[in-house]
Amino acid sequence: MRYNLLNHQFSTEKLSKEQINVLNDFDKIVQGVKPLNSKQLMFLPDNIRELSHQLTDQRSSRRLGYMNENVQLSAYVRYYTWWNLVRLTRLFSNLSADSFPSEDGFCIDLGTGPLTVISALWIARPELRNLKLTWYCLDVSQGAMALGEDIFMSIAAKFPAQNEESHWKIIRVKGSFGTSIREKCSFVTCANMFNELDQSSQMPPEFQTKKYYEQLSNYGSKDAKFLLIEPGVPKAARTLSLLRDRFIKSGYSVNAPCPHCGDCPMNGFKSYTGSKNKWCNFAFSTEDAPQKLQKLSTQAKLPKERAVLSFISVSKAKIETPSIAVRITSDPFRLPKNRTGFYACSQLGLTLVATTKPEKLSSGDLLQVEIKQDISKLPEDFKSGAKILILD
Ligand SMILES: C[S@@+](CC[C@H](N)C(=O)[O-])C[C@H]1O[C@@H](n2cnc3c(N)ncnc32)[C@H](O)[C@@H]1O
């Protein structure tokens, strides 16, 4: 079967040399903002490995405010934030513009940590730099947000907005998911937070997502867009799939990754308990990830050959007027009410096109006709049984 490749979601093709350079030299940016001395740098790989245990097999002993502790925050930013920037910039640069804000407004990043999503958006989506966005950044860890803001400023200075006034405004909110903020936001983002919430709860995602959905939608304005990203692990992917269902039931449509709004065939049901159900996740090779990051990962004994993530981008469903292609297949003939008819072929079967301006049409013409009413209720020609399309 023939096919057209529409989108290569995780390629670096859309990233310029300047964007890639910033990703490659992220360690220098962090060192410029919060330098470590040579002894601290020597211990960095060990600290990264220790943090990785806390985020995985020792997560039950992890403190909620772990990101407030200097050593852990340094390890997080210099390893996890760097990898997250690599993953997110690839994702963001290849998503369609529908997934992002198109005008000035309020946005919120939940579980923002060191503002990773915001820095990744600034790097990956140049058109957003010229919007006046006010970002509420919410996290339980003030320390992570303070460092993240300095890192973001440093990144933003490397790609100045065309209009100085457009610079994004950052409002840090120390609080947990659900904490209310003053404005409703037209863009709601969240990366790698639901995974942590899931880890700290004994309840399965099926019990959690109703509350998650209500809290998420509380942050959004009437036509808000949501962009949620998680590590590609089964439980977090399951949470996203359940949130997807709730968004769709509430009149949203999924921009990506789903090519449809039907039931998710990779919904991850119980996949985190070892069932054979597939969970939706995407992996790409890290071959062209920053060399220094790969070296650091090897030193920390956490080498990465593939980066994995799950995500959903949703926005209010557009009510599109359906239209159909119609091919005129006859000469004109007279109809009552001063109209002229043509027989035609369309997905409706034999079709009768009726018009008061027959001079515009002739046999063989191909038309795209917008149908503003229920197709099943179109009138039928009593003689031929053809569906009748009355053109303006
Ligand atoms: C894995 S980090 C992700 C940080 C950032 N979004 C990123 O992708 O790099 C998870 C973040 O969620 C925050 N967090 C955990 N539980 C939270 C909660 N209940 N409310 C708000 N933030 C929370 C943590 O403090 C941490 O900064």
Side-chain angles (χ1 to χ4, degrees):
M1 285 181 209
R2 300 175 68 166
Y3 71 95
N4 282 335
L5 177 63
L6 299 178
N7 177 5
H8 206 41
Q9 184 63 61
F10 295 103
S11 81
T12 48
E13 278 162 26
K14 294 204 179 125
L15 293 172
S16 67
K17 217 168 145 206
E18 290 73 26
Q19 288 165 311
I20 292 196
N21 285 346
V22 164
L23 290 172
N24 286 343
D25 285 336
F26 182 68
D27 56 335
K28 288 191 190 154
I29 292 175
V30 181
Q31 187 66 2
V33 169
K34 192 171 170 47
L36 292 184
N37 62 33
S38 50
K39 193 169 167 202
Q40 289 167 323
L41 282 172
M42 200 173 77
F43 284 112
L44 181 62
D46 292 340
N47 294 338
I48 290 171
R49 196 168 54 255
E50 173 54 29
L51 176 62
S52 121
H53 285 305
Q54 293 210 18
L55 293 174
T56 52
D57 49 311
Q58 294 168 11
R59 58 183 179 260
S60 51
S61 61
R62 183 181 72 222
R63 290 185 45 238
L64 178 63
Y66 70 98
M67 290 275 250
N68 273 324
E69 288 162 25
N70 263 330
V71 173
Q72 306 215 15
L73 179 56
S74 256
Y76 186 89
V77 167
R78 285 163 184 268
Y79 177 81
Y80 286 97
T81 302
W82 202 353
W83 272 119
N84 284 345
L85 285 176
V86 169
R87 299 186 309 155
L88 295 179
T89 49
R90 289 205 196 195
L91 174 70
F92 295 166
S93 63
N94 289 296
L95 283 175
S96 79
D98 296 352
S99 298
F100 302 102
S102 51
E103 52 189 35
D104 301 346
F106 293 98
C107 311
I108 186 163
D109 184 37
L110 300 160
T112 189
L115 278 66
T116 320
V117 169
I118 296 163
S119 289
L121 282 168
W122 188 273
I123 298 172
R125 301 295 306 195
E127 81 280 13
L128 298 184
R129 296 176 204 149
N130 295 315
L131 296 181
K132 280 189 200 165
L133 301 182
T134 299
W135 278 97
Y136 285 94
C137 300
L138 182 134
D139 202 287
V140 287
S141 165
Q142 183 69 269
M145 291 191 287
L147 174 57
E149 186 167 351
D150 289 343
I151 293 173
F152 167 66
M153 290 300 177
S154 191
I155 288 176
K158 297 199 181 287
F159 304 107
Q162 280 163 9
N163 175 356
E164 286 267 306
E165 281 176 33
S166 312
H167 209 297
W168 298 350
K169 187 173 165 197
I170 304 290
I171 300 176
R172 288 187 242 145
V173 181
K174 182 178 183 307
S176 54
F177 177 43
T179 301
S180 57
I181 57 160
R182 294 180 70 159
E183 306 288 341
K184 292 286 178 195
C185 297
S186 54
F187 188 43
V188 178
T189 60
C190 177
N192 308 309
M193 182 191 75
F194 287 114
N195 184 40
E196 282 199 6
L197 300 189
D198 286 340
Q199 284 177 348
S200 56
S201 163
Q202 298 302 319
M203 303 298 276
E206 287 73 14
F207 285 86
Q208 305 284 75
T209 27
K210 180 170 185 285
K211 190 176 82 194
Y212 291 167
Y213 178 76
E214 282 165 4
Q215 289 176 329
L216 273 174
S217 42
N218 253 335
Y219 287 115
S221 57
K222 199 162 55 68
D223 293 321
K225 298 175 179 178
F226 295 79
L227 181 53
L228 315 176
I229 308 108
E230 288 295 322
V233 297
K235 204 170 187 182
R238 171 73 181 147
T239 299
L240 287 188
S241 179
L242 289 163
L243 285 171
R244 170 190 182 272
D245 288 349
R246 290 197 175 264
F247 276 116
I248 291 172
K249 283 193 184 115
S250 308
Y252 288 85
S253 60
V254 193
N255 302 322
C258 318
H260 63 89
C261 282
D263 286 346
C264 174
M266 289 166 221
N267 65 22
F269 179 58
K270 293 208 165 151
S271 48
Y272 53 92
T273 57
S275 90
K276 290 223 165 79
N277 287 329
K278 293 195 184 320
W279 67 97
C280 180
N281 69 99
F282 301 90
F284 57 86
S285 154
T286 54
E287 251 170 29
D288 52 3
Q291 294 284 307
K292 286 183 281 179
L293 176 57
Q294 300 203 47
K295 191 170 162 209
L296 178 64
S297 308
T298 308
Q299 287 167 346
K301 300 194 176 64
L302 296 167
K304 248 193 219 298
E305 277 158 22
R306 292 175 1 128
V308 190
L309 57 78
S310 302
F311 72 100
I312 50 169
S313 156
V314 291
S315 51
K316 266 280 145 76
K318 283 188 210 103
I319 299 161
E320 280 177 6
T321 313
S323 68
I324 60 167
V326 176
R327 179 78 71 180
I328 304 283
T329 55
S330 80
D331 287 334
F333 52 90
R334 292 181 68 104
L335 291 175
K337 296 192 185 164
N338 216 16
R339 290 198 177 110
T340 298
F342 294 85
Y343 282 117
C345 181
S346 76
Q347 67 181 63
L348 304 170
L350 183 66
T351 305
L352 173 55
V353 167
T355 177
T356 52
K357 294 171 193 150
E359 65 283 0
K360 290 191 173 174
L361 300 176
S362 49
S363 177
D365 286 355
L366 180 66
L367 323 176
Q368 193 71 25
V369 181
E370 277 189 11
I371 302 187
K372 293 187 180 140
Q373 69 185 98
D374 183 349
I375 284 187
S376 66
K377 293 194 180 133
L378 284 169
E380 275 182 17
D381 176 37
F382 71 93
K383 242 202 227 163
S384 61
K387 292 275 185 194
I388 303 174
L389 299 177
I390 301 172
L391 305 191
D392 295 339

